[in-house]
Every structure is written in structure tokens, then in C-alpha cells.
Amino acid sequence: MAVKLIDKHAVDFIDKTLYSEVAADAAKAYKTVYDRSGAGSDFLGWLDLPEKYDRDEYVRVKAAAEKIKQSCDVFIVIGIGGSYLGARAAVEFVKSPLYNNLKKGTPDIYFAGKDINSAYMNELLMLCKDRDVCINVISKSGTTTEPSIAFRVFRELLEKKYGEKGACGRIFVTTDKSRGKLKALADEKGYETFTVPDDIGGRYSVLTSVGLLPIAVAGIDVDAMMRGAADAMACYGKGAEDNDCVKYATLRNCMYRGGRGIEILVTYDPALAMFNEWWKQLYGESEGKDNKGLYPSSVVFSSDLHSMGQYIQQGTRNIFETVMNIKADDSPVVIPDDPQNVDGMNFVSKKTLHYINENAFNATLLAHVDGQVPNVILELRDRSAYTFGWLVYFFELACAISGYTLGVNPFDQPGVESYKKNMYALLGKPGYEEERKALLERLG
């Protein structure tokens, strides 16, 4: 088992009667997921994806990744939300947050279309200067503002640099299987296309072509990643009893019903910082609706112990922590001895950084529990592709169970559309004239 849940530092904070009630609700929610009888059940394609993914497209993804690795120095991934967070999380989790700075034999990977910032865009364009470039634009509709703008910029760059025909072989499109503006353009231009599945929402899509193409370009073993997810699927699909996904959903909902409104996802490895961001979208977008839901936050220790540590230790007691603790030490660094002991730190001489980090974890765990902050521990075996696949599946299934336990549809995101409509109106999109007028009056 690549991921193991430990709850002994959390259950003592929960009333036993409440735990029994919520556990029963979570078991029912588990059944709702597997019966496919709940709200949003038409977006459960991820549930058996590790077993039933499109093998033919999977082969094409790996072939395209090899082509990209051979033909470019810079690979630009264009997408927002679930269209980029999972892939970026995987690259940093398995490889390194310093991936682009390392000698690696694979292209540098940068992400565009995730914001609207001229300085960032100009810097990306400068990084592409005098270097060979390929791009992967990811959008189901092809009309989302941020990635659409970025795609215009980089398509123009490639067509000027290589000509329209040459650019065609460097543009890879991940979009709807048969409809949408981006699909129509890809067919017209002859871009190679991959599919955003109809039955998998963006935040659940990292193990589809949405995430797998950039992940494979980074040289990550996607076969191992899918094996990890498949083994997790088999492990957690045996029933609700003694199931860590059900247990995690139960703990989260007990904390929520008990008055703790904030969950902090903690890691002690900066390589997991972007995984934290993926997790925040998954849980924030899945549960934050109908005036309900835990607020998902995150920290990276030990660095954030010197900024957020004070609040977590002694601030408002409305928080709990879920801590991802990596057991393996794949890159040992030993602390040298200093005969003069100038800094007084010879008590750690000849110890590894991993050993010290593990003790930082244990020290903080006990301090925070003493400070009345419940801690749920997730032990991760290592930072391998296999463990990443397992962990993604764990959180996806637990999120679905937790959402149904909370009483919401964990697969829609109706609130996201509000800002989009306002932005279309303010930018003057045809058909939004009345809305534009009303918004401008409100803005003064």
C-alpha cells in the first residue's frame, strides 16, 4: 500500500456518537458512488479509469511525448485549473520543483493560460526565444478566456517561427472528442488531438490525456503511475469497511460538523507544494457550494512553521491538519561535522536531512496536537510515479465520498460561472450588452 492513513492523533478530538453517525453516512456515500446513483453520477468516469482507459489513445500520448522530447527545448502547456494543476503537481512530485533547472534530457516545461498577466507572458516568450518550442493547449470548449488568449499568443509565435505547416506538427490539442471551437480548429489545421473525456471533470482528469501528455514529456513513467492508480482502485473498491477513503471522508465531516471549518494540507517536502494546489482545487470546487464545506488551505513545513506556525499553534481553534509524510529517503544528504562546532549543531553531525525532517514532523505533530489541533496523517511510501497515481486516486475517491456525506454534488461547480459571465460582459462579448451596462453602472 503506497498510502496509509493514521487517525490516532485525530479521533480523540471527535465525540464517539458523532463519529458513529458520520461513519454511517460515509458508508452510505461510498455505496452511492459505486451505485452511481448520486447527483453528478455522469461524471464518475474517473472511478474505473485506471482499468478502462482508452489504450489506443494512451499509446498515442506516449508516442506524441517522444516526438515532443525529440523536437523541442521548451514545452508550453496551456490550460487553467484542472487542465494544468495535476500535470504540474506530477512533474514536481516525481521529478523536482527545480525540474527546469536540472540537466535531464527532456524539454523545459512551462505553464501558460493559467492567469492573465502581461509580465509573465512576456517572460515566457523571452524563454522561447532562439529555442525550439512545442505547445499543448488543453480546453474542452476552446473558449475559456485565459487559455484561449495564451493559445492565440503561442500559435502566432509558432506560425511566425516555423510557418503554418511547420507549426502544425508542434501544436498538440487536448479537447472535446467531437465538438467545440478548439476541436473544429484542430481538425481544420490538422493538429494532433487528444480527448478530454465527457464523463470526467477537469479536477479529476490528471490521469487522462489532460495530464498524461505533459507528464510523459517530463520523462515520468506513466505506466507505473497508472499501475499505482489501478492498485488503489482495487484496494479501495472492496467495500466501505476498513477503507481509508471512507475513513478520511468520515474524519473530515466529523471535524466540519464539530465546528472546525478549515482543513490545512501539510507537507514537509517542497516537491509536494503543487500537489497541495491540485488538492485545494479538488476539494474546494467539489465541496464549496450550498453555503457548505471545509475551507481547504495548505502549508509547506518546516518553512511555513516560521510564518503560519504561530497561528496554527495558538490561533482560533477552528482548524485541523492532514499531513502527508514521505517515509523513503531517495536523495540522502548527510550533515558534516564541524570540529569547532561554531553553530552548536554538532548534535546532528552525521545525521541525514531526512532524519532531521522526520523529527521536525514528529515534534510539530505533538506540539500541534497539544495545541488542540487534530492531525490526520497520510504516510506516503515515496515520491515515485506509482505513489503519485495511488495518491491521486485516494484523494479523488475520498472527495466523492466526502462530498456526498456533506450533502452536495461533488462534480459540479456552478459558482465558477459567475465571474466568467461578468468578465465576458465587461470585455464586450457579443450578447452581453445589457449585463455590461448594468455592471459598469455598479462599478461607477
Side-chain angles (χ1 to χ4, degrees):
M1 184 177 291
V3 178
K4 178 184 177 183
L5 186 146
I6 299 169
D7 65 358
K8 67 180 181 180
H9 301 290
V11 291
D12 288 345
F13 291 88
I14 301 170
D15 177 80
K16 291 182 180 179
T17 300
L18 174 63
Y19 189 92
S20 296
E21 292 174 355
V22 177
D25 290 343
K28 291 177 185 176
Y30 177 90
K31 187 174 185 297
T32 298
V33 172
Y34 281 92
D35 286 349
R36 299 176 184 261
S37 58
S41 59
D42 48 338
F43 284 94
L44 277 167
W46 54 269
L47 187 62
D48 53 13
L49 175 72
E51 183 181 84
K52 296 184 177 179
Y53 61 88
D54 185 333
R55 262 62 177 182
D56 292 336
E57 177 154 298
Y58 185 74
V59 169
R60 286 200 305 111
V61 164
K62 294 201 288 184
E66 289 303 314
K67 178 182 177 182
I68 292 165
K69 285 191 279 187
Q70 296 299 319
S71 60
C72 75
D73 309 302
V74 178
F75 184 49
I76 303 292
V77 179
I78 299 172
I80 195 167
S83 294
Y84 95 96
L85 280 170
R88 185 169 177 182
V91 172
E92 297 196 9
F93 184 108
V94 180
K95 292 293 185 177
S96 169
L98 301 175
Y99 169 84
N100 286 338
N101 302 97
L102 300 174
K103 293 181 179 179
K104 52 194 177 294
T106 51
D108 290 348
I109 300 176
Y110 293 97
F111 296 87
K114 60 184 181 60
D115 47 42
I116 313 168
N117 184 272
S118 57
Y120 180 80
M121 181 64 76
N122 271 314
E123 288 161 4
L124 280 184
L125 293 171
M126 288 296 294
L127 286 167
C128 292
K129 189 177 181 181
D130 301 323
R131 304 173 80 189
D132 282 320
V133 182
C134 291
I135 64 175
N136 175 208
V137 56
I138 306 164
S139 174
K140 190 168 181 64
S141 66
T143 59
T144 303
T145 302
E146 296 91 340
S148 294
I149 291 170
F151 182 42
R152 281 196 178 198
V153 171
F154 282 99
R155 181 158 59 96
E156 180 185 63
L157 172 74
L158 264 60
E159 289 180 351
K160 285 183 176 179
K161 189 178 183 73
Y162 303 105
E164 190 168 338
K165 185 176 180 181
C168 177
R170 293 178 173 274
I171 297 174
F172 300 83
V173 173
T174 309
T175 189
D176 190 90
K177 184 175 183 178
S178 58
R179 60 185 184 273
K181 299 289 187 179
L182 186 54
K183 173 60 176 171
L185 177 66
D187 289 345
E188 176 190 337
K189 297 285 190 178
Y191 305 145
E192 183 166 8
T193 60
F194 302 97
T195 302
V196 179
D198 288 335
D199 58 353
I200 299 178
R203 58 189 179 273
Y204 291 84
S205 68
V206 61
L207 298 178
T208 72
S209 299
V210 170
L212 290 179
L213 179 57
I215 291 169
V217 170
I220 294 171
D221 186 348
V222 292
D223 292 338
M225 188 173 290
M226 296 304 287
R227 281 197 305 273
D231 287 349
M233 181 183 75
C235 175
Y236 302 131
K238 295 176 181 177
E241 188 175 351
D242 196 27
N243 187 312
D244 278 354
C245 292
V246 177
K247 191 179 293 184
Y248 180 52
T250 299
L251 291 167
R252 300 180 79 252
N253 279 275
C254 282
M255 297 296 175
Y256 179 71
R257 294 187 195 181
R260 296 182 186 267
I262 300 171
E263 179 178 13
I264 303 175
L265 187 67
V266 180
T267 176
Y268 283 76
D269 189 330
L272 273 63
M274 283 307 302
F275 189 91
N276 286 358
E277 297 303 310
W278 172 82
W279 173 86
K280 284 194 285 191
Q281 186 202 1
L282 178 66
Y283 280 81
E285 209 166 69
S286 295
E287 292 192 329
K289 57 199 73 167
D290 302 338
N291 296 315
K292 297 179 181 179
L294 288 161
Y295 180 79
S297 183
S298 67
V299 291
V300 179
F301 290 159
S302 63
S303 55
D304 284 337
L305 288 172
H306 297 262
S307 58
M308 291 298 293
Q310 172 61 41
Y311 184 90
I312 294 170
Q313 187 70 45
Q314 294 184 325
T316 306
R317 301 297 77 185
N318 62 346
I319 60 178
F320 72 99
E321 294 173 293
T322 296
V323 186
M324 297 185 291
N325 182 39
I326 301 170
K327 299 304 292 181
D329 185 7
D330 296 327
S331 303
V333 175
V334 178
I335 308 302
D337 187 60
D338 178 6
Q340 295 181 318
N341 196 23
V342 173
D343 54 10
M345 295 295 292
N346 269 358
F347 63 92
V348 295
S349 294
K350 309 301 182 183
K351 302 290 196 303
T352 66
L353 280 180
H354 181 78
Y355 172 82
I356 297 169
N357 204 32
E358 186 76 5
N359 278 280
F361 156 68
N362 285 320
T364 305
L365 166 67
L366 296 176
H368 287 185
V369 169
D370 288 346
Q372 300 303 299
V373 180
N375 268 238
V376 179
I377 311 301
L378 292 175
E379 279 191 358
L380 313 187
R381 188 171 68 187
D382 52 30
R383 273 179 46 202
S384 66
Y386 178 91
T387 295
F388 181 87
W390 186 298
L391 186 61
V392 163
Y393 194 87
F394 166 83
F395 274 126
E396 289 179 345
L397 177 56
C399 185
I401 297 167
S402 184
Y404 283 142
T405 304
L406 180 65
V408 300
N409 176 355
F411 306 113
D412 67 354
Q413 53 283 336
V416 173
E417 302 305 315
S418 298
Y419 98 88
K420 290 183 180 180
K421 291 176 181 177
N422 285 352
M423 190 159 67
Y424 287 151
L426 291 171
L427 290 172
K429 184 174 182 177
Y432 286 80
E433 289 80 9
E434 291 301 316
E435 290 89 343
R436 174 181 165 80
K437 181 180 178 182
L439 290 173
L440 288 174
E441 287 177 357
R442 289 176 59 192
L443 291 170

